[in-house]
Every structure is written in structure tokens, then in C-alpha cells.
Amino acid sequence: MNILVTGGAGFIGSHTLIELYKAGHTALVVDNLYNAKAEALHRVEEILNSQFSTLNSQFSTLNSQFSIPFVQADIRDREALENIFRQNEKIVNGQVVNGFDACIHFAGLKAVGESVAKPLEYYENNMNGTFVLLDVLRRHGCKNIIFSSSATVYGDPNEIPITENCPKGQCTNPYGQTKSMLEQVLTDVQKADNEWNVVLLRYFNPIGAHPSGRIGENPNGIPNNLMPYITQVAVGKREKLGVFGNDYPTHDGTGVRDYIHVVDLARAHVAALQAIERKQGLAVYNIGTGHGYSVLDVVKAFERVNKVPIPYAIMPRRAGDIATCYCNPKKAELELGWKAQFDLDDMCRDSWNWQRNNPNGY
């Protein structure tokens, strides 16, 4: 398949590109680089060229040097998207047809705290961007999309572990609201037109980095997520980690989450293309390991695996945080043949390998 990848220069997008090409697919990336660096794409190409330089099997017909097409554009820019589709049309049996088989949609603002401070910006960017993208996809006959959603749509879940049958809850921040509302938009679009195939992937907590150490999570400013904050403490950029709350009803009082290696998450997108190929219509999958680890579990694992101390201080709870959130990922295993392969030690090792080799990111 030839895939349009929005936000493909970001943390999850860049890792997904590697897995797409390894599986024999091709991609074109659209990214405005607001939360990403073009250098990530150069390093993806470097990794792919390194991995496939000696292979001559399924890649024998491809160029010896991978060069991933990239357009720096905002998905709210209708004219830019229209141009991308026009420039990638192909002729089949004398007819002009759309050149993309599917879209993987990562693009969007994603910082929870920032979304609380800037709700209008988040609603305008995430909602309007997706509206423009969907309309352009429809106009050009590309009605297959994999959407980057989030476990935040469950709110404070009714059941643990969370299955896909668990009802969506009240999201506690505008970022989560945009994910929940866009899930509904995509569901309604597919219901109105059964030519659409929509796959909603509800991510849990992606951490880790590519084992090469060449690409990884590169947050702007102060990290909003646990692992990049830990690695920045480890590399000396931050004095200590703030642990928000130690009085939750968990085994050590700190919040429990389902952490998943970003490479496993990337591979889930490749597996999700199967649901599109078999015209599944609407499909929803939890993408996690099915195991819950507390904040202090992650800190202790990082220290043990990497032999680096992580000083931390207990801080007051954050508004909106819940005690426990981890999933039952069996549906993805049964229907897509996908299952997480990396454990917490791998996540800690690869996160540190990325940070210590790239102390200032890209």
C-alpha cells in the first residue's frame, strides 16, 4: 500500500514509517513540524538504508537508497492537501485514480496541560484539521483511515482491565475531548457511507525508542510525560522527577498505567491495515500490553536496568488524574495477530539509549 501519513515526523509517526517500509509499504509524510523535526525523517531513512542495504528479497525492486517523500504543510491547509493528492494521482486503465491506498492520521496537538491552558487552539487545530483532511480524502476517493486515538477517551474507566466494550467516559481535558469527539465524527462518517473503512487505535502510554538510538521522543520544553522527564533527569537536564500523588489506591500509592514500547505501537498500525484490506468498516482496538505499572515501578526499573539514579519528590495530585488505567489487548491479538513484544526493561533501556546519545534531542 501507499500510505499518506499525517504527523509522520513525530515520535510515533517516525517509528511507524520504519515498520511500514519494513512490511513492504510506502509512505508520503505531511507534517507542519510544530511538534517535530525534519531530522527525524532523515534518521528514519538512515535506519532503513542500514537495515536493507544487504537485502535483495522483497526490496530488490526498490531504490538502494530510501528517500521518504515529505511535504511540510498543515492539514488545515486545504490547498496544500489538494495539491498533494493531485501530484500523486496515477493512471490505471486509462483512468486517473487516487494514488493513496490509506491514511494514517497522527497529526494534532497533544499536550494535556497545554490543552487546558489553550482549549480554543486545541479544538480549532485538532478538529478543523481532521475535518479538512477527511473532506479531501473523500473528494479524492481515499476512504481508508487509521486514527491515532487515546485511552483518555475512557475517562475514569468502568472496568479494569479496559476492553473495547467499556463505555467512553468524561474526558478531563480538551486534548482528550478532541480524541473522543473525532472518534464520533469518524464513526458517523463511516455509518453514513459504508465505503469508508475506519480503524480507531486507542493508545495507552507509549514510551521507549528505536533500539538504534537514532530516533526517539523529543518533547518541546518541559516534558509532559513520565519517561522523557525521567531520561532528562538521568542526563542532567532536570534536577529531579515530580511524582504527582502517592495516596492512590494502588500497591505503592502512585498512579498505574499501561506503558507500551513505541515500536510495538508502530507495528500495531501495520497490523491495522489488515482491517482495511478486509473492508472491516469500523474497528476499534486497544493498543497496550495489558500490564499496569506504577510511576515508581517505572522509576525503579529504569534505575535497575540503566544503573542511573533518579531522584524524585512527591508532589500533590494533579486534577483529572486517575488511579489505574490499563487495558485488555486481546481483541487486537485475535483479529489482527498483533501483540506487544517488548517489556518494561526494554522500554527503559531504549529510552535511555536514545536520551544519552541525543542529550538535546534532534
Side-chain angles (χ1 to χ4, degrees):
M1 286 187 177
N2 188 35
I3 315 296
L4 177 69
V5 183
T6 71
F11 175 44
I12 301 169
S14 58
H15 288 81
T16 300
L17 289 172
I18 292 172
E19 300 306 317
L20 285 170
Y21 275 83
K22 284 172 62 177
H25 302 291
T26 55
L28 182 148
V29 172
V30 180
D31 200 307
N32 65 4
L33 301 182
Y34 179 80
N35 274 324
K37 303 289 186 184
E39 175 62 21
L41 296 176
H42 299 315
R43 296 195 185 186
V44 167
E45 292 171 352
E46 170 194 304
I47 292 167
L48 288 170
N49 285 316
S50 173
Q51 290 186 353
F52 298 128
S53 61
T54 59
L55 293 182
N56 58 9
S57 56
Q58 68 188 101
F59 297 95
S60 61
T61 60
L62 298 180
N63 293 332
S64 59
Q65 293 294 307
F66 282 84
S67 181
I68 298 171
F70 167 58
V71 177
Q72 184 174 348
D74 193 300
I75 60 170
R76 293 171 294 178
D77 185 342
R78 181 181 295 272
E79 183 177 353
L81 290 185
E82 290 282 0
N83 285 336
I84 289 167
F85 272 86
R86 283 194 292 265
Q87 292 167 7
N88 287 274
E89 290 172 342
K90 55 188 178 181
I91 306 297
V92 177
N93 297 326
Q95 300 290 320
V96 177
V97 298
N98 156 53
F100 297 105
D101 300 296
C103 173
I104 299 179
H105 180 26
F106 295 111
L109 298 177
K110 62 176 185 175
V112 169
E114 184 182 59
S115 78
V116 175
K118 299 179 178 179
L120 283 178
E121 286 83 349
Y122 268 69
Y123 287 120
E124 193 279 328
N125 184 89
N126 293 5
M127 302 299 292
N128 283 349
T130 304
F131 294 158
V132 173
L133 174 66
L134 288 173
D135 189 43
V136 174
L137 290 173
R138 176 178 61 177
R139 287 167 50 81
H140 290 270
C142 181
K143 296 183 177 182
N144 298 315
I145 187 168
I146 297 172
F147 178 58
S148 169
S149 191
S150 168
T152 60
V153 302
Y154 291 114
D156 194 350
N158 287 351
E159 60 185 30
I160 297 289
I162 302 167
T163 69
E164 290 82 355
N165 292 325
C166 180
K168 295 204 298 185
Q170 178 62 43
C171 295
T172 57
N173 56 77
Y175 160 74
Q177 289 280 25
T178 65
K179 292 297 187 185
S180 183
M181 290 190 291
L182 286 172
E183 279 199 3
Q184 189 61 55
V185 169
L186 286 158
T187 299
D188 291 342
V189 165
Q190 197 283 324
K191 184 177 180 180
D193 179 357
N194 62 15
E195 289 185 0
W196 280 90
N197 293 288
V198 172
V199 183
L200 307 177
L201 297 185
R202 293 174 177 167
Y203 308 165
F204 278 69
N205 295 72
I207 60 174
H210 193 269
S212 68
R214 297 297 290 153
I215 61 172
E217 190 165 7
N218 185 44
N220 292 330
I222 299 174
N224 290 286
N225 299 322
L226 175 62
M227 184 57 80
Y229 210 110
I230 289 175
T231 60
Q232 289 193 10
V233 171
V235 84
K237 293 186 71 172
R238 309 284 168 193
E239 179 184 359
K240 60 187 175 184
L241 171 71
V243 177
F244 298 102
N246 67 343
D247 57 351
Y248 288 102
T250 63
H251 65 275
D252 62 15
T254 64
V256 169
R257 299 292 182 268
D258 191 334
Y259 296 95
I260 179 172
H261 198 294
V262 65
V263 173
D264 276 329
L265 178 56
R267 291 172 179 169
H269 293 78
V270 179
L273 290 172
Q274 297 175 43
I276 286 175
E277 289 174 331
R278 60 176 174 251
K279 307 294 183 185
Q280 197 161 327
L282 176 69
V284 183
Y285 298 103
N286 288 333
I287 304 299
T289 65
H291 300 287
Y293 296 99
S294 74
V295 173
L296 293 183
D297 286 338
V298 176
V299 170
K300 291 173 183 176
F302 187 94
E303 291 179 325
R304 175 177 51 77
V305 169
N306 298 309
K307 308 296 189 292
V308 179
I310 303 297
Y312 66 86
I314 303 300
M315 311 289 284
R317 289 189 185 189
R318 292 182 300 192
D321 277 354
I322 60 176
T324 302
C325 182
Y326 63 92
C327 78
N328 180 337
K330 286 296 183 182
K331 183 180 178 186
E333 182 178 1
L334 291 172
E335 295 188 7
L336 303 177
W338 174 88
K339 185 178 181 180
Q341 301 298 314
F342 296 95
D343 62 18
L344 183 59
D345 284 7
D346 297 319
M347 300 177 214
C348 292
R349 183 180 302 108
D350 290 340
S351 294
W352 179 229
N353 186 40
W354 152 254
Q355 186 74 78
R356 67 188 174 88
N357 285 298
N358 303 270
N360 296 310
Y362 295 115

